[in-house]
Amino acid sequence: QLVESGGGLVQAGGSLRLSCAASGGSSSTYVMGWFRQAPGKEREFVGGINWRRTSTYYGDSVKGRFTISRDNAKNTVYLQMDSLKPEDTAVYYCAAGTVAGGTVIASYRYWGQGTQVTVSS
């Protein structure tokens, strides 16, 4: 089970940190990813981190502004979001999969319920 938290309302230029707590299994055995979905739009890949924190990868729209990290001892993955823009407004989802470098929905098997992030201009 994946549970996201940390969403909320923030002004443009601000920061938020999302957390994804995993239970029922060790998150260290999975590739962890973040996706987002804005109203009327398809779910979009935000970023991912592989098993041993040795590499991260990001979608072009967030590269340089968002950072993913993981604490395997806490079974938690984080998404640090800086320099937020109104276009970052979306529901953010945490996901777990086994495909290294996966950037598509099909690469992830388990999903959280999502947390809303709203960026005001």
Side-chain angles (χ1 to χ4, degrees):
Q1 182 182 9
L2 302 175
V3 179
E4 303 96 335
S5 61
L9 174 65
V10 64
Q11 288 188 333
S15 298
L16 277 177
R17 188 176 81 156
L18 305 183
S19 299
C20 173
S23 62
S26 174
S27 67
S28 63
T29 63
Y30 292 94
V31 175
M32 301 299 293
W34 287 94
F35 287 74
R36 67 186 183 186
Q37 188 165 19
K41 295 188 176 181
E42 294 185 353
R43 194 166 294 192
E44 174 190 19
F45 173 74
V46 174
I49 184 167
N50 74 357
W51 292 272
R52 294 188 179 87
R53 298 173 287 179
T54 56
S55 67
T56 55
Y57 45 101
Y58 302 91
D60 289 340
S61 61
V62 306
K63 205 170 292 184
R65 299 187 298 122
F66 290 13
T67 304
I68 294 176
S69 60
R70 68 192 298 170
D71 185 335
N72 288 340
K74 295 182 178 180
N75 270 358
T76 300
V77 177
Y78 304 97
L79 178 65
Q80 176 67 41
M81 304 185 295
D82 298 318
S83 302
L84 282 161
K85 305 174 182 180
E87 51 264 44
D88 294 318
T89 295
V91 176
Y92 283 71
Y93 297 90
C94 173
T98 57
V99 178
T103 62
V104 296
I105 292 173
S107 297
Y108 293 87
R109 183 175 181 183
Y110 303 103
W111 292 82
Q113 83 290 348
T115 185
Q116 176 71 46
V117 171
T118 303
V119 184
S120 62
S121 57

